[in-house]
Structures are given as C-alpha cells and as structure tokens.
C-alpha cells in the first residue's frame, strides 16, 4: 500500500506549472478512435487515468507512442471488440468509448464505467441521446451493448434534460460521423467541451456552437489525423491557487487561463485573497486575514464542483462561519470527516457543509475518499502542524500530474511512501 506523508507548516514559495486538463484528455483519447490517421496530443498530463486509457487503446489495436507530455496515437488498427471490463471499470470517463465506438463501428460492447463514488451519476442522458440517433441498448452481465439498427447512427434533435458534460461530449463523439445533422440543446458549456470540439474539427468534423447551450453537428464520412494542444487543467490550477492562499509565502501558478476560473477567482477575492492575474499566470501573495464565505457550486460558468473540496481547507483558515452547498454531487462530502480528524470545526448538516474558523489543523492519519477529496487532504496536510499520512492515494494520482514533485519544488516536505 502506498501513502503520502506530509510534514506540515513549512513555508511554500516559488513557481508551479499547471498540466494539461484531465477532464479534456480523458475524452480526447477515446475521440481519436474516430480518426483515419495519426493524432498527436501535446500537453498530456502524467496521471493514472491516462495510463489506463492507453492500455485500453493498445488492447483494442491502436499503436501508441508516448514521449513526456506528447502522445501519438494511430487508431487505424482498432478492432470492433468487447472492451476489457477491468480497465473500463477503473475510471468514470471510460463511457466516452460508447460514443466513439458507436460512431466508428455502429456498435459497441463496453463494461459499465467506474470512478469516484460521488453519489448518483446516471448515464441515462447518454443512452437517451444514442437511442434518438437510432441505437438500441441492451445489457448482458456487466456489459452494455449499443447497436445502430441501420448499421450507422443518424442525426437527431436532442434536448438534454439536465446539463451534463459527459452526455454532451458523448453525443458529439457519436454524431460527428452520423448521417445528417444533430442538434444538442441545453448542452453543457465547459471549456473541456470546446477542447474536444476543437480536436474533432481539426480532424475534419463540422461542429458549431461548442461553449454555448446549443451545439450543431453536421455528420461527415471520414476524419483525418491532426495535432492538438490540450488546454490547461482549470481544476489543477484552482487547487494550486487554493494551496498557495492557504499555505504559501508567495506562489506563481503558471499555465492558467483566467477566463476558465472567473467565478472561482471572484469567490477567493470575496474572501480577501490577494492575487495578481497576468495573461497566463496568477501570483498568490502570502495571506494575512481572510473572511468566511458561503459557497455554492453550479454548472459552468459557475463555481466548479471539482473545486469545492480543494477550496474547503482554505475556508477553514478564514474568520467567521460559512456553508458549502454542492448542487452537482450531493455525496461530495467525504473530506469533511477527514478534516475533522485534523481538528477542523466542520460538519455536514442536511445538504450543507458548515464550518467555523479560523482553525489550526493538526497532522493526523486520513484517507482520500475520492480524487478531489484527496487534493483537499494534501492542502490540509501542508497547512497543519505535525505529520499527516494520507492513504487511498490512487485517487489523487488519477488526476494530479507529478503532484509530489511539484510540491517538493515549492518547499513542501512531502513524500510518496511504499508501506
């Protein structure tokens, strides 16, 4: 078993560079199945979810070459075959293979997706879209069978009952090679959707409206290879900004797109966090006094649910009381009990997280209950006096590229230990 050990209370300063977006690349890699030539991605993060996706692609017959942050994939050898359940079940984003395989082969046999336990995250919106495009859905054991009744799916007018990033991207993947036009209404608007649409358009797709709530896709017969730069990870950026405000003596966070974080930055400014925003970086000063605020997550451009947990340790440093409401994933509260073990005055009340500050955290043995909860525990460990040991760290390594090395470069006393 591996764990992260942190000796907290050390002064942190310097520079940290944000890697490519996890939530983009886990969709970009399955999207490459649709191409008839080699696709190269630059800025690919070194995370275990990428490792799993590469294994899946190679199992299916793709040729993959990796050199640092550059990933070259030739999908022409991909076979129409059942997807390996073990790898598929290890990450939530495996459901993007539904859309890409359906678009390329007119059918797909894929195991049900896994990932963090954040409460109900049904894929009914994905299936509703596929059925509108002429696919039938059936189940056999742990596998889902998707089949285009006419051998190829067709365009359709689809209204998303709720805003869903995954369903919006999956529908785009299925639609780019469908017969005719597909219109997605009430589409999600996240930057990662724009990133996936940009890759597909560079491959020869005809997608308009990505980043708005209406996306139109004109189906094409074939897609070609291309080269694409993955956007910076706005969740990783927000995590390091929170860390810098909570435990830093002056930290530059580089490779940041401010427009992807406007609502988050506004909430930090409401707390009294002092920052200097530049074209592609943010300098976070040493903070003296912070004010408690209440936080409510919302679909983009609102404050991202993925930033709720990394933000929480910083809230504990503020004076006063506040509440946190996650409107996206109601079970995203696993970090609360772990922070309480470190002496935090924090609890869950009904659907809210309530806290009182300021708090001086003390090192303890804690666990990462999911990916972003793991990031919260790392920040809390850096803030705390004494030693913090974090288990279940595989969650953290799924989404934060080279996190140990990046924090050590800032002066953190942090180690990954084989127990």
């Amino acid at each position: 078993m591996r764990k992260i050990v942190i000796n907290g209370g050390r002064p942190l300063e310097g520079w940290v560079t944000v890697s490519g977006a996890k939530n983009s690349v886990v969709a970009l890699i399955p999207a490459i199945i649709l191409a008839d030539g080699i696709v190269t991605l630059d800025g690919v993060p070194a995370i275990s979810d990428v490792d799993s996706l590469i294994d899946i692609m190679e199992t299916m017959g793709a040729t993959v070459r990796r050199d640092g942050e550059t990933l070259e994939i030739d999908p022409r050898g991909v076979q129409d075959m059942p997807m390996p359940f073990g790898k598929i079940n290890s990450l939530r984003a495996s459901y993007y293979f539904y859309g890409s395989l359906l678009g390329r082969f007119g059918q797909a046999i894929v195991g049900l997706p896994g990932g963090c336990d954040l409460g109900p995250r049904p894929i009914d919106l994905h299936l509703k879209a596929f059925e509108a495009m002429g696919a039938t859905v059936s189940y056999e054991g742990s596998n889902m069978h998707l089949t285009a009744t006419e051998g190829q799916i067709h365009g359709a007018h689809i209204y998303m009952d709720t805003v869903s990033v995954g369903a919006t991207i999956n529908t785009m993947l299925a639609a780019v090679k469908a017969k005719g036009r597909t219109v997605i209404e009430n589409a999600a608007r996240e930057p990662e959707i724009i990133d996936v649409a940009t890759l597909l358009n560079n491959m020869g797709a005809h997608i308009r409206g990505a980043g708005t709530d209406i996306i139109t896709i004109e189906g094409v017969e074939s897609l070609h290879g291309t080269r694409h730069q993955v956007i910076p990870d706005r969740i990783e950026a927000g995590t390091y900004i929170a860390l810098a405000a909570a435990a830093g003596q002056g930290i530059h966070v580089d490779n940041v797109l401010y427009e992807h974080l406007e609502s988050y930055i506004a909430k930090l400014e409401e707390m009294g966090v002092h920052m200097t925003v530049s074209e592609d970086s943010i300098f976070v000063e040493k903070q003296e006094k912070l004010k408690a605020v209440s936080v409510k997550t919302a679909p983009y451009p609102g404050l991202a649910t993925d930033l709720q947990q990394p933000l929480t340790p910083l809230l504990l440093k503020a004076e006063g009381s506040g509440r946190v409401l996650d409107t996206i994933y109601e079970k995203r509260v696993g970090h609360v009990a772990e922070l309480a073990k470190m002496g935090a005055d924090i609890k869950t009340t009904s659907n809210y997280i309530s806290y009182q500050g300021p708090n001086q955290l003390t090192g303890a043995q804690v666990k990462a209950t999911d990916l972003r909860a793991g990031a919260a525990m790392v920040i809390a460990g850096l803030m705390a006096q004494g030693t913090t040991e974090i288990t279940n760290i595989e969650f953290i390594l799924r989404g934060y590229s080279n996190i140990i090395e990046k924090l050590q470069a800032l002066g953190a006393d942090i180690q990954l230990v084989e127990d």
Side-chain angles (χ1 to χ4, degrees), residues 260-298:
H260 292 174
L261 289 166
E262 287 189 70
S263 58
Y264 181 70
I265 297 297
K267 183 58 65 174
L268 295 179
E269 290 175 340
E270 182 184 343
M271 291 182 67
V273 175
H274 296 291
M275 297 167 285
T276 302
V277 178
S278 302
E279 182 177 355
D280 59 357
S281 68
I282 294 177
F283 175 68
V284 184
E285 302 173 17
K286 179 182 178 180
Q287 308 302 315
E288 298 297 338
K289 186 176 181 180
L290 298 175
K291 179 182 69 174
V293 297
S294 290
V295 175
K296 183 178 180 180
T297 69

mmCIF file of all heavy atoms in Angstrom, residues 260-298:
data_model
loop_
_atom_site.group_PDB
_atom_site.id
_atom_site.type_symbol
_atom_site.label_atom_id
_atom_site.label_comp_id
_atom_site.label_asym_id
_atom_site.label_seq_id
_atom_site.Cartn_x
_atom_site.Cartn_y
_atom_site.Cartn_z
ATOM 1 N N HIS A 260 -11.313 30.695 -17.562
ATOM 2 C CA HIS A 260 -11.880 29.416 -17.147
ATOM 3 C C HIS A 260 -12.170 29.364 -15.653
ATOM 4 O O HIS A 260 -12.786 28.415 -15.179
ATOM 5 C CB HIS A 260 -10.917 28.270 -17.498
ATOM 6 C CG HIS A 260 -10.775 28.035 -18.964
ATOM 7 N ND1 HIS A 260 -9.872 27.125 -19.495
ATOM 8 C CD2 HIS A 260 -11.430 28.577 -20.022
ATOM 9 C CE1 HIS A 260 -9.973 27.129 -20.813
ATOM 10 N NE2 HIS A 260 -10.912 28.005 -21.157
ATOM 11 N N LEU A 261 -11.704 30.377 -14.898
ATOM 12 C CA LEU A 261 -11.776 30.349 -13.432
ATOM 13 C C LEU A 261 -12.419 31.611 -12.850
ATOM 14 O O LEU A 261 -12.250 31.882 -11.661
ATOM 15 C CB LEU A 261 -10.364 30.195 -12.842
ATOM 16 C CG LEU A 261 -9.691 28.827 -13.021
ATOM 17 C CD1 LEU A 261 -8.207 28.937 -12.716
ATOM 18 C CD2 LEU A 261 -10.337 27.780 -12.117
ATOM 19 N N GLU A 262 -13.151 32.349 -13.651
ATOM 20 C CA GLU A 262 -13.634 33.656 -13.201
ATOM 21 C C GLU A 262 -14.497 33.569 -11.945
ATOM 22 O O GLU A 262 -14.323 34.339 -11.004
ATOM 23 C CB GLU A 262 -14.407 34.342 -14.336
ATOM 24 C CG GLU A 262 -13.516 34.855 -15.453
ATOM 25 C CD GLU A 262 -14.276 35.714 -16.446
ATOM 26 O OE1 GLU A 262 -14.658 36.833 -16.076
ATOM 27 O OE2 GLU A 262 -14.503 35.240 -17.580
ATOM 28 N N SER A 263 -15.441 32.640 -11.895
ATOM 29 C CA SER A 263 -16.323 32.558 -10.721
ATOM 30 C C SER A 263 -15.542 32.110 -9.485
ATOM 31 O O SER A 263 -15.813 32.575 -8.363
ATOM 32 C CB SER A 263 -17.482 31.592 -10.990
ATOM 33 O OG SER A 263 -17.008 30.298 -11.314
ATOM 34 N N TYR A 264 -14.572 31.252 -9.668
ATOM 35 C CA TYR A 264 -13.739 30.775 -8.562
ATOM 36 C C TYR A 264 -12.859 31.905 -8.033
ATOM 37 O O TYR A 264 -12.774 32.126 -6.818
ATOM 38 C CB TYR A 264 -12.884 29.610 -9.062
ATOM 39 C CG TYR A 264 -11.967 28.990 -8.032
ATOM 40 C CD1 TYR A 264 -12.470 28.244 -6.974
ATOM 41 C CD2 TYR A 264 -10.589 29.116 -8.130
ATOM 42 C CE1 TYR A 264 -11.627 27.643 -6.045
ATOM 43 C CE2 TYR A 264 -9.735 28.519 -7.212
ATOM 44 C CZ TYR A 264 -10.271 27.789 -6.177
ATOM 45 O OH TYR A 264 -9.433 27.207 -5.257
ATOM 46 N N ILE A 265 -12.226 32.636 -8.940
ATOM 47 C CA ILE A 265 -11.385 33.767 -8.538
ATOM 48 C C ILE A 265 -12.227 34.820 -7.819
ATOM 49 O O ILE A 265 -11.794 35.409 -6.817
ATOM 50 C CB ILE A 265 -10.695 34.389 -9.772
ATOM 51 C CG1 ILE A 265 -9.746 33.373 -10.424
ATOM 52 C CG2 ILE A 265 -9.938 35.660 -9.387
ATOM 53 C CD1 ILE A 265 -8.613 32.925 -9.559
ATOM 54 N N ALA A 266 -13.445 35.046 -8.295
ATOM 55 C CA ALA A 266 -14.324 36.023 -7.638
ATOM 56 C C ALA A 266 -14.630 35.605 -6.205
ATOM 57 O O ALA A 266 -14.691 36.452 -5.293
ATOM 58 C CB ALA A 266 -15.619 36.176 -8.439
ATOM 59 N N LYS A 267 -14.827 34.310 -5.967
ATOM 60 C CA LYS A 267 -15.104 33.827 -4.604
ATOM 61 C C LYS A 267 -13.873 34.010 -3.708
ATOM 62 O O LYS A 267 -14.003 34.411 -2.532
ATOM 63 C CB LYS A 267 -15.528 32.364 -4.648
ATOM 64 C CG LYS A 267 -15.911 31.777 -3.301
ATOM 65 C CD LYS A 267 -17.044 32.545 -2.619
ATOM 66 C CE LYS A 267 -18.341 32.456 -3.395
ATOM 67 N NZ LYS A 267 -19.468 33.091 -2.645
ATOM 68 N N LEU A 268 -12.686 33.760 -4.241
ATOM 69 C CA LEU A 268 -11.459 33.969 -3.465
ATOM 70 C C LEU A 268 -11.280 35.449 -3.130
ATOM 71 O O LEU A 268 -10.886 35.801 -2.001
ATOM 72 C CB LEU A 268 -10.255 33.450 -4.235
ATOM 73 C CG LEU A 268 -10.192 31.936 -4.482
ATOM 74 C CD1 LEU A 268 -8.953 31.586 -5.290
ATOM 75 C CD2 LEU A 268 -10.212 31.161 -3.179
ATOM 76 N N GLU A 269 -11.576 36.318 -4.073
ATOM 77 C CA GLU A 269 -11.465 37.754 -3.812
ATOM 78 C C GLU A 269 -12.475 38.188 -2.747
ATOM 79 O O GLU A 269 -12.187 39.057 -1.926
ATOM 80 C CB GLU A 269 -11.659 38.538 -5.110
ATOM 81 C CG GLU A 269 -10.489 38.371 -6.076
ATOM 82 C CD GLU A 269 -10.735 39.041 -7.416
ATOM 83 O OE1 GLU A 269 -11.917 39.298 -7.761
ATOM 84 O OE2 GLU A 269 -9.742 39.311 -8.127
ATOM 85 N N GLU A 270 -13.657 37.571 -2.753
ATOM 86 C CA GLU A 270 -14.644 37.856 -1.715
ATOM 87 C C GLU A 270 -14.105 37.482 -0.332
ATOM 88 O O GLU A 270 -14.391 38.151 0.675
ATOM 89 C CB GLU A 270 -15.926 37.081 -2.002
ATOM 90 C CG GLU A 270 -17.053 37.332 -1.011
ATOM 91 C CD GLU A 270 -18.269 36.465 -1.287
ATOM 92 O OE1 GLU A 270 -18.384 35.905 -2.405
ATOM 93 O OE2 GLU A 270 -19.113 36.318 -0.374
ATOM 94 N N MET A 271 -13.289 36.429 -0.287
ATOM 95 C CA MET A 271 -12.669 36.027 0.981
ATOM 96 C C MET A 271 -11.566 36.991 1.430
ATOM 97 O O MET A 271 -11.193 37.005 2.602
ATOM 98 C CB MET A 271 -12.044 34.634 0.851
ATOM 99 C CG MET A 271 -13.007 33.491 0.694
ATOM 100 S SD MET A 271 -12.100 31.914 0.624
ATOM 101 C CE MET A 271 -11.441 31.835 2.297
ATOM 102 N N GLY A 272 -11.036 37.747 0.467
ATOM 103 C CA GLY A 272 -9.923 38.635 0.787
ATOM 104 C C GLY A 272 -8.578 38.129 0.322
ATOM 105 O O GLY A 272 -7.530 38.659 0.735
ATOM 106 N N VAL A 273 -8.563 37.112 -0.533
ATOM 107 C CA VAL A 273 -7.310 36.584 -1.066
ATOM 108 C C VAL A 273 -6.711 37.605 -2.031
ATOM 109 O O VAL A 273 -7.385 38.088 -2.948
ATOM 110 C CB VAL A 273 -7.532 35.238 -1.782
ATOM 111 C CG1 VAL A 273 -6.238 34.760 -2.446
ATOM 112 C CG2 VAL A 273 -8.054 34.191 -0.801
ATOM 113 N N HIS A 274 -5.442 37.920 -1.831
ATOM 114 C CA HIS A 274 -4.747 38.897 -2.671
ATOM 115 C C HIS A 274 -3.975 38.165 -3.770
ATOM 116 O O HIS A 274 -3.113 37.329 -3.491
ATOM 117 C CB HIS A 274 -3.798 39.751 -1.837
ATOM 118 C CG HIS A 274 -4.503 40.605 -0.825
ATOM 119 N ND1 HIS A 274 -5.290 41.671 -1.179
ATOM 120 C CD2 HIS A 274 -4.554 40.534 0.539
ATOM 121 C CE1 HIS A 274 -5.789 42.242 -0.096
ATOM 122 N NE2 HIS A 274 -5.369 41.562 0.964
ATOM 123 N N MET A 275 -4.295 38.491 -5.009
ATOM 124 C CA MET A 275 -3.684 37.852 -6.178
ATOM 125 C C MET A 275 -3.386 38.893 -7.243
ATOM 126 O O MET A 275 -4.036 39.931 -7.304
ATOM 127 C CB MET A 275 -4.637 36.804 -6.772
ATOM 128 C CG MET A 275 -4.978 35.637 -5.895
ATOM 129 S SD MET A 275 -6.385 34.689 -6.550
ATOM 130 C CE MET A 275 -7.750 35.769 -6.142
ATOM 131 N N THR A 276 -2.421 38.577 -8.095
ATOM 132 C CA THR A 276 -2.143 39.374 -9.284
ATOM 133 C C THR A 276 -2.336 38.476 -10.491
ATOM 134 O O THR A 276 -1.639 37.468 -10.645
ATOM 135 C CB THR A 276 -0.710 39.927 -9.274
ATOM 136 O OG1 THR A 276 -0.520 40.726 -8.097
ATOM 137 C CG2 THR A 276 -0.462 40.774 -10.513
ATOM 138 N N VAL A 277 -3.304 38.818 -11.340
ATOM 139 C CA VAL A 277 -3.635 37.997 -12.501
ATOM 140 C C VAL A 277 -2.915 38.532 -13.722
ATOM 141 O O VAL A 277 -3.061 39.708 -14.079
ATOM 142 C CB VAL A 277 -5.156 37.979 -12.744
ATOM 143 C CG1 VAL A 277 -5.493 37.156 -13.982
ATOM 144 C CG2 VAL A 277 -5.894 37.440 -11.524
ATOM 145 N N SER A 278 -2.124 37.670 -14.375
ATOM 146 C CA SER A 278 -1.431 38.026 -15.610
ATOM 147 C C SER A 278 -2.048 37.256 -16.774
ATOM 148 O O SER A 278 -3.046 36.552 -16.610
ATOM 149 C CB SER A 278 0.065 37.710 -15.482
ATOM 150 O OG SER A 278 0.633 38.396 -14.384
ATOM 151 N N GLU A 279 -1.439 37.378 -17.939
ATOM 152 C CA GLU A 279 -2.020 36.791 -19.145
ATOM 153 C C GLU A 279 -2.200 35.284 -19.008
ATOM 154 O O GLU A 279 -3.239 34.734 -19.376
ATOM 155 C CB GLU A 279 -1.147 37.099 -20.358
ATOM 156 C CG GLU A 279 -1.718 36.562 -21.669
ATOM 157 C CD GLU A 279 -0.865 36.936 -22.868
ATOM 158 O OE1 GLU A 279 0.121 37.681 -22.706
ATOM 159 O OE2 GLU A 279 -1.186 36.483 -23.975
ATOM 160 N N ASP A 280 -1.194 34.575 -18.511
ATOM 161 C CA ASP A 280 -1.299 33.122 -18.388
ATOM 162 C C ASP A 280 -0.791 32.616 -17.041
ATOM 163 O O ASP A 280 -0.370 31.464 -16.918
ATOM 164 C CB ASP A 280 -0.548 32.428 -19.525
ATOM 165 C CG ASP A 280 0.927 32.790 -19.562
ATOM 166 O OD1 ASP A 280 1.359 33.622 -18.732
ATOM 167 O OD2 ASP A 280 1.659 32.250 -20.405
ATOM 168 N N SER A 281 -0.791 33.474 -16.021
ATOM 169 C CA SER A 281 -0.357 33.056 -14.693
ATOM 170 C C SER A 281 -1.055 33.889 -13.629
ATOM 171 O O SER A 281 -1.599 34.962 -13.923
ATOM 172 C CB SER A 281 1.164 33.185 -14.537
ATOM 173 O OG SER A 281 1.551 34.542 -14.547
ATOM 174 N N ILE A 282 -1.035 33.388 -12.414
ATOM 175 C CA ILE A 282 -1.603 34.098 -11.267
ATOM 176 C C ILE A 282 -0.598 34.026 -10.120
ATOM 177 O O ILE A 282 -0.120 32.934 -9.777
ATOM 178 C CB ILE A 282 -2.948 33.488 -10.834
ATOM 179 C CG1 ILE A 282 -4.000 33.703 -11.936
ATOM 180 C CG2 ILE A 282 -3.438 34.111 -9.519
ATOM 181 C CD1 ILE A 282 -5.346 33.074 -11.632
ATOM 182 N N PHE A 283 -0.248 35.178 -9.563
ATOM 183 C CA PHE A 283 0.626 35.221 -8.396
ATOM 184 C C PHE A 283 -0.238 35.381 -7.156
ATOM 185 O O PHE A 283 -1.023 36.331 -7.055
ATOM 186 C CB PHE A 283 1.624 36.381 -8.487
ATOM 187 C CG PHE A 283 2.460 36.531 -7.245
ATOM 188 C CD1 PHE A 283 3.398 35.576 -6.890
ATOM 189 C CD2 PHE A 283 2.299 37.630 -6.409
ATOM 190 C CE1 PHE A 283 4.163 35.707 -5.740
ATOM 191 C CE2 PHE A 283 3.052 37.779 -5.254
ATOM 192 C CZ PHE A 283 3.989 36.810 -4.916
ATOM 193 N N VAL A 284 -0.099 34.454 -6.224
ATOM 194 C CA VAL A 284 -0.875 34.473 -4.986
ATOM 195 C C VAL A 284 0.047 34.918 -3.859
ATOM 196 O O VAL A 284 1.050 34.261 -3.562
ATOM 197 C CB VAL A 284 -1.466 33.084 -4.678
ATOM 198 C CG1 VAL A 284 -2.362 33.149 -3.446
ATOM 199 C CG2 VAL A 284 -2.264 32.564 -5.875
ATOM 200 N N GLU A 285 -0.299 36.024 -3.224
ATOM 201 C CA GLU A 285 0.527 36.562 -2.148
ATOM 202 C C GLU A 285 0.336 35.766 -0.854
ATOM 203 O O GLU A 285 -0.596 34.968 -0.729
ATOM 204 C CB GLU A 285 0.141 38.021 -1.881
ATOM 205 C CG GLU A 285 0.260 38.943 -3.080
ATOM 206 C CD GLU A 285 -0.286 40.330 -2.801
ATOM 207 O OE1 GLU A 285 -0.451 40.675 -1.603
ATOM 208 O OE2 GLU A 285 -0.573 41.056 -3.775
ATOM 209 N N LYS A 286 1.218 35.994 0.112
ATOM 210 C CA LYS A 286 1.008 35.477 1.455
ATOM 211 C C LYS A 286 -0.210 36.174 2.044
ATOM 212 O O LYS A 286 -0.340 37.388 1.984
ATOM 213 C CB LYS A 286 2.232 35.744 2.329
ATOM 214 C CG LYS A 286 2.065 35.252 3.757
ATOM 215 C CD LYS A 286 3.294 35.573 4.606
ATOM 216 C CE LYS A 286 3.088 35.111 6.043
ATOM 217 N NZ LYS A 286 4.264 35.414 6.905
ATOM 218 N N GLN A 287 -1.129 35.380 2.599
ATOM 219 C CA GLN A 287 -2.385 35.931 3.098
ATOM 220 C C GLN A 287 -2.301 36.192 4.601
ATOM 221 O O GLN A 287 -1.757 35.379 5.349
ATOM 222 C CB GLN A 287 -3.532 34.964 2.811
ATOM 223 C CG GLN A 287 -3.613 34.530 1.360
ATOM 224 C CD GLN A 287 -3.758 35.682 0.381
ATOM 225 O OE1 GLN A 287 -4.556 36.588 0.611
ATOM 226 N NE2 GLN A 287 -3.005 35.650 -0.710
ATOM 227 N N GLU A 288 -2.833 37.325 5.018
ATOM 228 C CA GLU A 288 -2.798 37.697 6.435
ATOM 229 C C GLU A 288 -4.129 37.434 7.129
ATOM 230 O O GLU A 288 -4.182 36.871 8.208
ATOM 231 C CB GLU A 288 -2.425 39.180 6.570
ATOM 232 C CG GLU A 288 -1.048 39.515 6.014
ATOM 233 C CD GLU A 288 0.076 38.823 6.751
ATOM 234 O OE1 GLU A 288 -0.120 38.430 7.917
ATOM 235 O OE2 GLU A 288 1.165 38.663 6.154
ATOM 236 N N LYS A 289 -5.217 37.837 6.530
ATOM 237 C CA LYS A 289 -6.519 37.708 7.172
ATOM 238 C C LYS A 289 -7.569 37.442 6.102
ATOM 239 O O LYS A 289 -7.669 38.178 5.120
ATOM 240 C CB LYS A 289 -6.861 38.985 7.943
ATOM 241 C CG LYS A 289 -8.126 38.907 8.779
ATOM 242 C CD LYS A 289 -8.324 40.191 9.590
ATOM 243 C CE LYS A 289 -9.569 40.134 10.449
ATOM 244 N NZ LYS A 289 -9.774 41.368 11.242
ATOM 245 N N LEU A 290 -8.361 36.392 6.324
ATOM 246 C CA LEU A 290 -9.385 36.001 5.367
ATOM 247 C C LEU A 290 -10.757 36.013 6.024
ATOM 248 O O LEU A 290 -10.884 35.790 7.235
ATOM 249 C CB LEU A 290 -9.095 34.601 4.815
ATOM 250 C CG LEU A 290 -7.777 34.440 4.039
ATOM 251 C CD1 LEU A 290 -7.564 32.993 3.655
ATOM 252 C CD2 LEU A 290 -7.749 35.334 2.814
ATOM 253 N N LYS A 291 -11.772 36.259 5.215
ATOM 254 C CA LYS A 291 -13.153 36.341 5.698
ATOM 255 C C LYS A 291 -13.925 35.103 5.259
ATOM 256 O O LYS A 291 -13.822 34.671 4.101
ATOM 257 C CB LYS A 291 -13.816 37.600 5.133
ATOM 258 C CG LYS A 291 -15.261 37.793 5.543
ATOM 259 C CD LYS A 291 -15.844 39.047 4.902
ATOM 260 C CE LYS A 291 -16.008 38.883 3.408
ATOM 261 N NZ LYS A 291 -16.715 40.032 2.772
ATOM 262 N N ALA A 292 -14.688 34.517 6.174
ATOM 263 C CA ALA A 292 -15.504 33.348 5.847
ATOM 264 C C ALA A 292 -16.574 33.717 4.821
ATOM 265 O O ALA A 292 -17.148 34.814 4.863
ATOM 266 C CB ALA A 292 -16.151 32.788 7.105
ATOM 267 N N VAL A 293 -16.834 32.803 3.902
ATOM 268 C CA VAL A 293 -17.859 33.000 2.879
ATOM 269 C C VAL A 293 -18.647 31.706 2.729
ATOM 270 O O VAL A 293 -18.225 30.643 3.187
ATOM 271 C CB VAL A 293 -17.235 33.379 1.512
ATOM 272 C CG1 VAL A 293 -16.507 34.700 1.584
ATOM 273 C CG2 VAL A 293 -16.293 32.275 1.023
ATOM 274 N N SER A 294 -19.786 31.800 2.088
ATOM 275 C CA SER A 294 -20.553 30.613 1.720
ATOM 276 C C SER A 294 -20.341 30.328 0.239
ATOM 277 O O SER A 294 -20.154 31.246 -0.571
ATOM 278 C CB SER A 294 -22.038 30.806 2.019
ATOM 279 O OG SER A 294 -22.258 30.820 3.425
ATOM 280 N N VAL A 295 -20.353 29.048 -0.093
ATOM 281 C CA VAL A 295 -20.004 28.605 -1.446
ATOM 282 C C VAL A 295 -21.119 27.723 -1.987
ATOM 283 O O VAL A 295 -21.666 26.878 -1.257
ATOM 284 C CB VAL A 295 -18.668 27.813 -1.424
ATOM 285 C CG1 VAL A 295 -18.367 27.241 -2.804
ATOM 286 C CG2 VAL A 295 -17.528 28.698 -0.937
ATOM 287 N N LYS A 296 -21.455 27.923 -3.258
ATOM 288 C CA LYS A 296 -22.452 27.097 -3.931
ATOM 289 C C LYS A 296 -21.929 26.728 -5.309
ATOM 290 O O LYS A 296 -21.609 27.606 -6.111
ATOM 291 C CB LYS A 296 -23.778 27.850 -4.046
ATOM 292 C CG LYS A 296 -24.915 27.035 -4.676
ATOM 293 C CD LYS A 296 -26.197 27.859 -4.705
ATOM 294 C CE LYS A 296 -27.355 27.095 -5.314
ATOM 295 N NZ LYS A 296 -28.600 27.900 -5.335
ATOM 296 N N THR A 297 -21.811 25.440 -5.583
ATOM 297 C CA THR A 297 -21.332 25.017 -6.899
ATOM 298 C C THR A 297 -22.468 25.065 -7.914
ATOM 299 O O THR A 297 -23.649 25.013 -7.569
ATOM 300 C CB THR A 297 -20.753 23.596 -6.853
ATOM 301 O OG1 THR A 297 -21.815 22.663 -6.620
ATOM 302 C CG2 THR A 297 -19.699 23.476 -5.758
ATOM 303 N N ALA A 298 -22.090 25.154 -9.191
ATOM 304 C CA ALA A 298 -23.079 25.226 -10.271
ATOM 305 C C ALA A 298 -22.404 24.827 -11.578
ATOM 306 O O ALA A 298 -21.174 24.862 -11.687
ATOM 307 C CB ALA A 298 -23.639 26.650 -10.381
#
